[in-house]
Amino acid sequence: MDTILKPLYYAVSWIIVQFHSFFSLIFDPNSGAAWGLSIVSLVVLIRICLIPLFVKQIKATRNMQALQPKMKAIQERYKSDKQRQSEEMMKLYKESGTNPLSSCLPILAQSPFFISLYQVLSHIAQNKTVGVIDPALLASAQKAHIFGAPLAAKFMDSASKIQALGASVTDVRVVTVIMIVLMSASQFYTQRQLMTKNVDLTVKTPFMQQQKMLMYVFPVMFAVFGINFPVGVLVYWLTTNVWTMGQQMYVIRRNPTPGSKAFTERQERLRASGKLVESPAEIEAKKAAEEARQNRQQPKRQTKAKRQTGAAAPTGAARNRTRASSSSGDAAASQDSAATQDDKGKGGTPAKGGAASGSRNTKSGQRKGQQRPKHPSKK
């Protein structure tokens, strides 16, 4: 690793030394301000050089969001044929001119510089010269402290190692914990800002779920790995996170994704300042939609007493109908009995149909009303 990245060791150490020479004109050459600002300046220089890659990252991310519905359709269509699914995905990327790796370019481009800075600071902690840092600069860097923590100290370092750098364990651990928390919080806020403001909310895609997962995964990763980073590397990573957060805020405000919350807010700002003029048709359509929304009447919610009264009324009515039916049936049965006795008194034969009908009505209690007995059959 040292053999491959040795040229970068020289490049990173040379840039830091040049910035250190400049800040030594203002601050003490052995102070943490001179060396810390040199690391911050290294980050700013690298991020300025990476702006073209950041622009490509934004375009790639938006293209990926636009392709998510088509990608989902391909996955559903060829879910049993993984090879064909991969071929169709590559074809889709080629037709749209999208490279999935473009969204990772800034991170990939920073990685060699990050590793090189880590190795340079590790050499300083081990009292070894590296790159263009000679013994005099090495001694100066070892004396540099940021809020009492040496640039080359780590959270997990032993007490003897920290004391050799001229600091206490408490100072180093307090400073490293605060910087790790700030580093994780800035990463979380950056990702959350992207998810809540610069995503097209009209399209629900798996890409949004992935971004939401990364919003929680990245801060945890920084917290876990941060305890093994030297203070100087924590300065580097905290600075690059703050730069990313500010850069993203600028992009979201000036060039948001269409359909996102930030895009709506930007349209409102332009409309309020008179820079965005809508066509008469759009104005009329919005006015009609607003009038329809205001005129729409919502059903009134009934109180509990009214709901209970409404439920009890049908029950009482049904009970009254049942009683009326029973009374009607009894009346019909009485009339049938009277008619039968009449017929017997006259010497006639009672009608079978009438007696059976009256009996059925009496037993079942059906609401058929009063039925007249049939006329006796002629002999």
Side-chain angles (χ1 to χ4, degrees):
M1 179 68 71
D2 289 347
T3 305
I4 297 173
L5 295 178
K6 194 171 183 179
L8 278 176
Y9 294 173
Y10 276 92
V12 169
S13 61
W14 184 84
I15 294 172
I16 291 177
V17 167
Q18 300 306 312
F19 281 119
H20 177 261
S21 300
F22 171 74
F23 289 113
S24 296
L25 301 175
I26 306 172
F27 305 100
D28 180 8
N30 299 330
S31 65
W35 285 99
L37 289 174
S38 300
I39 296 174
V40 172
S41 301
L42 172 68
V43 175
V44 173
L45 179 63
I46 292 173
R47 295 308 301 267
I48 290 174
C49 296
L50 293 179
I51 286 177
L53 293 180
F54 181 75
V55 173
K56 287 185 178 181
Q57 179 190 22
I58 294 173
K59 292 181 179 179
T61 303
R62 290 187 180 178
N63 290 338
M64 289 295 293
Q65 290 177 358
L67 291 179
Q68 284 300 308
K70 296 181 180 179
M71 293 169 64
K72 190 174 182 181
I74 291 174
Q75 291 173 353
E76 291 292 332
R77 185 175 182 181
Y78 302 105
K79 59 183 178 181
S80 59
D81 189 352
K82 298 297 181 182
Q83 183 177 357
R84 182 65 185 279
Q85 186 182 116
S86 300
E87 292 175 356
E88 292 295 326
M89 287 288 189
M90 296 304 296
K91 183 180 178 182
L92 180 63
Y93 292 147
K94 188 175 181 180
E95 290 177 352
S96 60
T98 302
N99 184 1
L101 296 177
S102 297
S103 58
C104 304
L105 284 177
I107 296 177
L108 294 176
Q110 281 189 87
S111 298
F113 295 95
F114 175 77
I115 297 171
S116 300
L117 179 62
Y118 180 87
Q119 292 297 328
V120 167
L121 293 172
S122 296
H123 280 71
I124 293 174
Q126 297 169 11
N127 200 21
K128 295 180 181 178
T129 59
V130 57
V132 299
I133 296 180
D134 54 22
L137 290 172
L138 179 62
S140 176
Q142 286 185 335
K143 294 177 183 177
H145 292 62
I146 296 179
F147 301 110
L151 289 176
K154 305 176 188 176
F155 180 87
M156 300 299 292
D157 283 345
S158 62
S160 58
K161 189 175 181 179
I162 293 174
Q163 288 174 2
L165 294 172
S168 65
V169 176
T170 303
D171 290 341
V172 170
R173 293 188 176 176
V174 169
V175 170
T176 52
V177 166
I178 291 174
M179 295 184 73
I180 289 171
V181 170
L182 292 175
M183 189 171 62
S184 300
S186 60
Q187 179 66 36
F188 176 80
Y189 181 79
T190 300
Q191 195 67 24
R192 187 176 183 275
Q193 182 181 229
L194 180 66
M195 285 297 302
T196 56
K197 288 191 174 183
N198 204 37
V199 173
D200 187 357
L201 301 176
T202 61
V203 181
K204 303 295 183 182
T205 64
F207 181 76
M208 294 176 63
Q209 297 298 326
Q210 296 172 5
Q211 294 294 317
K212 188 175 181 180
M213 182 181 66
L214 293 176
M215 181 172 65
Y216 297 98
V217 170
F218 276 154
V220 174
M221 289 175 59
F222 280 120
V224 171
F225 295 123
I227 59 177
N228 293 312
F229 290 163
V231 173
V233 174
L234 293 178
V235 171
Y236 174 94
W237 207 249
L238 177 60
T239 305
T240 194
N241 279 0
V242 172
W243 177 281
T244 302
M245 183 172 62
Q247 188 172 247
Q248 186 171 271
M249 290 176 65
Y250 177 81
V251 171
I252 289 175
R253 182 175 177 83
R254 302 300 294 269
N255 190 20
T257 301
S260 63
K261 181 180 178 181
F263 182 81
T264 304
E265 292 175 353
R266 180 176 179 271
Q267 296 297 97
E268 292 296 331
R269 289 196 303 270
L270 293 176
R271 192 178 294 110
S273 61
K275 296 180 180 179
L276 181 65
V277 180
E278 296 178 339
S279 63
E282 292 179 353
I283 296 175
E284 290 296 328
K286 286 186 178 181
K287 188 182 295 184
E290 183 65 23
E291 290 178 356
R293 187 183 65 80
Q294 292 178 354
N295 294 333
R296 184 175 58 193
Q297 295 182 353
Q298 296 290 341
K300 294 183 178 179
R301 182 181 176 85
Q302 293 183 344
T303 61
K304 186 176 180 180
K306 289 184 178 180
R307 290 198 301 271
Q308 290 178 349
T309 304
T315 305
R319 191 181 295 113
N320 292 336
R321 286 197 299 269
T322 303
R323 289 176 181 173
S325 176
S326 299
S327 301
S328 176
D330 291 344
S334 300
Q335 289 181 2
D336 287 345
S337 177
T340 303
Q341 289 178 0
D342 241 0
D343 289 339
K344 284 183 179 180
K346 293 178 181 179
T349 305
K352 296 180 180 179
S357 174
S359 177
R360 284 195 301 270
N361 287 337
T362 303
K363 292 179 180 179
S364 62
Q366 295 177 355
R367 299 192 302 273
K368 292 185 179 180
Q370 182 177 355
Q371 294 185 359
R372 296 178 62 185
K374 293 183 180 181
H375 195 278
S377 58
K378 294 180 181 182
K379 294 184 179 179

PDB file of all heavy atoms in Angstrom, residues 324-344:
ATOM      1  N   ALA A 324     -97.414  -5.407  16.182  1.00  0.00           N
ATOM      2  CA  ALA A 324     -98.589  -5.223  15.304  1.00  0.00           C
ATOM      3  C   ALA A 324     -98.892  -6.489  14.536  1.00  0.00           C
ATOM      4  O   ALA A 324    -100.035  -6.876  14.344  1.00  0.00           O
ATOM      5  CB  ALA A 324     -98.348  -4.050  14.354  1.00  0.00           C
ATOM      6  N   SER A 325     -97.831  -7.157  14.093  1.00  0.00           N
ATOM      7  CA  SER A 325     -98.018  -8.393  13.326  1.00  0.00           C
ATOM      8  C   SER A 325     -98.646  -9.467  14.191  1.00  0.00           C
ATOM      9  O   SER A 325     -99.510 -10.219  13.759  1.00  0.00           O
ATOM     10  CB  SER A 325     -96.668  -8.858  12.794  1.00  0.00           C
ATOM     11  OG  SER A 325     -96.799 -10.083  12.141  1.00  0.00           O
ATOM     12  N   SER A 326     -98.186  -9.553  15.445  1.00  0.00           N
ATOM     13  CA  SER A 326     -98.731 -10.556  16.365  1.00  0.00           C
ATOM     14  C   SER A 326    -100.206 -10.281  16.616  1.00  0.00           C
ATOM     15  O   SER A 326    -101.032 -11.200  16.629  1.00  0.00           O
ATOM     16  CB  SER A 326     -97.956 -10.539  17.678  1.00  0.00           C
ATOM     17  OG  SER A 326     -96.608 -10.854  17.443  1.00  0.00           O
ATOM     18  N   SER A 327    -100.534  -9.001  16.828  1.00  0.00           N
ATOM     19  CA  SER A 327    -101.939  -8.631  17.062  1.00  0.00           C
ATOM     20  C   SER A 327    -102.790  -8.979  15.860  1.00  0.00           C
ATOM     21  O   SER A 327    -103.903  -9.487  15.980  1.00  0.00           O
ATOM     22  CB  SER A 327    -102.050  -7.141  17.385  1.00  0.00           C
ATOM     23  OG  SER A 327    -101.284  -6.843  18.524  1.00  0.00           O
ATOM     24  N   SER A 328    -102.243  -8.693  14.681  1.00  0.00           N
ATOM     25  CA  SER A 328    -102.979  -8.990  13.439  1.00  0.00           C
ATOM     26  C   SER A 328    -103.216 -10.481  13.304  1.00  0.00           C
ATOM     27  O   SER A 328    -104.287 -10.931  12.914  1.00  0.00           O
ATOM     28  CB  SER A 328    -102.196  -8.454  12.244  1.00  0.00           C
ATOM     29  OG  SER A 328    -102.847  -8.800  11.054  1.00  0.00           O
ATOM     30  N   GLY A 329    -102.165 -11.254  13.642  1.00  0.00           N
ATOM     31  CA  GLY A 329    -102.311 -12.705  13.546  1.00  0.00           C
ATOM     32  C   GLY A 329    -103.340 -13.216  14.521  1.00  0.00           C
ATOM     33  O   GLY A 329    -104.127 -14.113  14.205  1.00  0.00           O
ATOM     34  N   ASP A 330    -103.335 -12.666  15.740  1.00  0.00           N
ATOM     35  CA  ASP A 330    -104.322 -13.106  16.738  1.00  0.00           C
ATOM     36  C   ASP A 330    -105.722 -12.773  16.290  1.00  0.00           C
ATOM     37  O   ASP A 330    -106.649 -13.577  16.452  1.00  0.00           O
ATOM     38  CB  ASP A 330    -104.029 -12.428  18.084  1.00  0.00           C
ATOM     39  CG  ASP A 330    -102.735 -12.944  18.688  1.00  0.00           C
ATOM     40  OD1 ASP A 330    -102.261 -14.006  18.235  1.00  0.00           O
ATOM     41  OD2 ASP A 330    -102.166 -12.261  19.598  1.00  0.00           O
ATOM     42  N   ALA A 331    -105.857 -11.580  15.715  1.00  0.00           N
ATOM     43  CA  ALA A 331    -107.192 -11.178  15.248  1.00  0.00           C
ATOM     44  C   ALA A 331    -107.686 -12.104  14.147  1.00  0.00           C
ATOM     45  O   ALA A 331    -108.847 -12.516  14.109  1.00  0.00           O
ATOM     46  CB  ALA A 331    -107.172  -9.730  14.763  1.00  0.00           C
ATOM     47  N   ALA A 332    -106.769 -12.439  13.255  1.00  0.00           N
ATOM     48  CA  ALA A 332    -107.154 -13.338  12.151  1.00  0.00           C
ATOM     49  C   ALA A 332    -107.537 -14.699  12.679  1.00  0.00           C
ATOM     50  O   ALA A 332    -108.487 -15.326  12.207  1.00  0.00           O
ATOM     51  CB  ALA A 332    -105.988 -13.455  11.166  1.00  0.00           C
ATOM     52  N   ALA A 333    -106.811 -15.180  13.702  1.00  0.00           N
ATOM     53  CA  ALA A 333    -107.122 -16.494  14.268  1.00  0.00           C
ATOM     54  C   ALA A 333    -108.481 -16.479  14.935  1.00  0.00           C
ATOM     55  O   ALA A 333    -109.263 -17.441  14.840  1.00  0.00           O
ATOM     56  CB  ALA A 333    -106.046 -16.888  15.277  1.00  0.00           C
ATOM     57  N   SER A 334    -108.815 -15.376  15.614  1.00  0.00           N
ATOM     58  CA  SER A 334    -110.124 -15.271  16.277  1.00  0.00           C
ATOM     59  C   SER A 334    -111.252 -15.290  15.259  1.00  0.00           C
ATOM     60  O   SER A 334    -112.273 -15.948  15.442  1.00  0.00           O
ATOM     61  CB  SER A 334    -110.181 -13.985  17.113  1.00  0.00           C
ATOM     62  OG  SER A 334    -109.167 -13.998  18.091  1.00  0.00           O
ATOM     63  N   GLN A 335    -111.045 -14.548  14.158  1.00  0.00           N
ATOM     64  CA  GLN A 335    -112.073 -14.506  13.121  1.00  0.00           C
ATOM     65  C   GLN A 335    -112.263 -15.875  12.483  1.00  0.00           C
ATOM     66  O   GLN A 335    -113.367 -16.294  12.169  1.00  0.00           O
ATOM     67  CB  GLN A 335    -111.700 -13.463  12.077  1.00  0.00           C
ATOM     68  CG  GLN A 335    -111.839 -12.033  12.598  1.00  0.00           C
ATOM     69  CD  GLN A 335    -111.481 -11.010  11.550  1.00  0.00           C
ATOM     70  OE1 GLN A 335    -111.175 -11.386  10.433  1.00  0.00           O
ATOM     71  NE2 GLN A 335    -111.553  -9.732  11.918  1.00  0.00           N
ATOM     72  N   ASP A 336    -111.126 -16.572  12.289  1.00  0.00           N
ATOM     73  CA  ASP A 336    -111.240 -17.916  11.696  1.00  0.00           C
ATOM     74  C   ASP A 336    -112.002 -18.849  12.620  1.00  0.00           C
ATOM     75  O   ASP A 336    -112.821 -19.667  12.184  1.00  0.00           O
ATOM     76  CB  ASP A 336    -109.855 -18.497  11.456  1.00  0.00           C
ATOM     77  CG  ASP A 336    -109.192 -17.800  10.278  1.00  0.00           C
ATOM     78  OD1 ASP A 336    -109.914 -17.114   9.533  1.00  0.00           O
ATOM     79  OD2 ASP A 336    -107.937 -17.927  10.137  1.00  0.00           O
ATOM     80  N   SER A 337    -111.753 -18.742  13.924  1.00  0.00           N
ATOM     81  CA  SER A 337    -112.438 -19.592  14.890  1.00  0.00           C
ATOM     82  C   SER A 337    -113.925 -19.305  14.909  1.00  0.00           C
ATOM     83  O   SER A 337    -114.758 -20.212  14.946  1.00  0.00           O
ATOM     84  CB  SER A 337    -111.832 -19.366  16.268  1.00  0.00           C
ATOM     85  OG  SER A 337    -112.512 -20.121  17.240  1.00  0.00           O
ATOM     86  N   ALA A 338    -114.248 -17.983  14.855  1.00  0.00           N
ATOM     87  CA  ALA A 338    -115.671 -17.609  14.851  1.00  0.00           C
ATOM     88  C   ALA A 338    -116.363 -18.123  13.609  1.00  0.00           C
ATOM     89  O   ALA A 338    -117.495 -18.611  13.650  1.00  0.00           O
ATOM     90  CB  ALA A 338    -115.803 -16.090  14.949  1.00  0.00           C
ATOM     91  N   ALA A 339    -115.677 -18.037  12.484  1.00  0.00           N
ATOM     92  CA  ALA A 339    -116.274 -18.508  11.231  1.00  0.00           C
ATOM     93  C   ALA A 339    -116.497 -20.004  11.268  1.00  0.00           C
ATOM     94  O   ALA A 339    -117.507 -20.513  10.780  1.00  0.00           O
ATOM     95  CB  ALA A 339    -115.373 -18.143  10.056  1.00  0.00           C
ATOM     96  N   THR A 340    -115.596 -20.728  11.884  1.00  0.00           N
ATOM     97  CA  THR A 340    -115.730 -22.187  11.957  1.00  0.00           C
ATOM     98  C   THR A 340    -116.911 -22.573  12.807  1.00  0.00           C
ATOM     99  O   THR A 340    -117.695 -23.468  12.461  1.00  0.00           O
ATOM    100  CB  THR A 340    -114.451 -22.787  12.550  1.00  0.00           C
ATOM    101  OG1 THR A 340    -113.348 -22.379  11.761  1.00  0.00           O
ATOM    102  CG2 THR A 340    -114.515 -24.309  12.576  1.00  0.00           C
ATOM    103  N   GLN A 341    -117.058 -21.884  13.963  1.00  0.00           N
ATOM    104  CA  GLN A 341    -118.202 -22.176  14.816  1.00  0.00           C
ATOM    105  C   GLN A 341    -119.503 -21.843  14.108  1.00  0.00           C
ATOM    106  O   GLN A 341    -120.509 -22.529  14.242  1.00  0.00           O
ATOM    107  CB  GLN A 341    -118.089 -21.372  16.110  1.00  0.00           C
ATOM    108  CG  GLN A 341    -116.966 -21.883  17.016  1.00  0.00           C
ATOM    109  CD  GLN A 341    -116.843 -21.057  18.261  1.00  0.00           C
ATOM    110  OE1 GLN A 341    -117.610 -20.096  18.434  1.00  0.00           O
ATOM    111  NE2 GLN A 341    -115.891 -21.426  19.121  1.00  0.00           N
ATOM    112  N   ASP A 342    -119.539 -20.759  13.340  1.00  0.00           N
ATOM    113  CA  ASP A 342    -120.726 -20.380  12.569  1.00  0.00           C
ATOM    114  C   ASP A 342    -121.138 -21.478  11.622  1.00  0.00           C
ATOM    115  O   ASP A 342    -122.305 -21.821  11.484  1.00  0.00           O
ATOM    116  CB  ASP A 342    -120.425 -19.116  11.783  1.00  0.00           C
ATOM    117  CG  ASP A 342    -121.371 -17.996  12.211  1.00  0.00           C
ATOM    118  OD1 ASP A 342    -122.190 -18.265  13.072  1.00  0.00           O
ATOM    119  OD2 ASP A 342    -121.200 -16.878  11.666  1.00  0.00           O
ATOM    120  N   ASP A 343    -120.088 -21.991  10.960  1.00  0.00           N
ATOM    121  CA  ASP A 343    -120.363 -23.033   9.963  1.00  0.00           C
ATOM    122  C   ASP A 343    -120.891 -24.292  10.636  1.00  0.00           C
ATOM    123  O   ASP A 343    -121.774 -24.992  10.125  1.00  0.00           O
ATOM    124  CB  ASP A 343    -119.096 -23.364   9.189  1.00  0.00           C
ATOM    125  CG  ASP A 343    -118.732 -22.209   8.267  1.00  0.00           C
ATOM    126  OD1 ASP A 343    -119.629 -21.409   7.945  1.00  0.00           O
ATOM    127  OD2 ASP A 343    -117.507 -22.097   7.907  1.00  0.00           O
ATOM    128  N   LYS A 344    -120.315 -24.606  11.805  1.00  0.00           N
ATOM    129  CA  LYS A 344    -120.791 -25.776  12.519  1.00  0.00           C
ATOM    130  C   LYS A 344    -122.245 -25.609  12.952  1.00  0.00           C
ATOM    131  O   LYS A 344    -123.040 -26.539  12.930  1.00  0.00           O
ATOM    132  CB  LYS A 344    -119.912 -26.027  13.745  1.00  0.00           C
ATOM    133  CG  LYS A 344    -118.580 -26.648  13.386  1.00  0.00           C
ATOM    134  CD  LYS A 344    -117.793 -26.937  14.632  1.00  0.00           C
ATOM    135  CE  LYS A 344    -116.464 -27.594  14.298  1.00  0.00           C
ATOM    136  NZ  LYS A 344    -115.664 -27.886  15.505  1.00  0.00           N
TER     137      LYS A 344
END
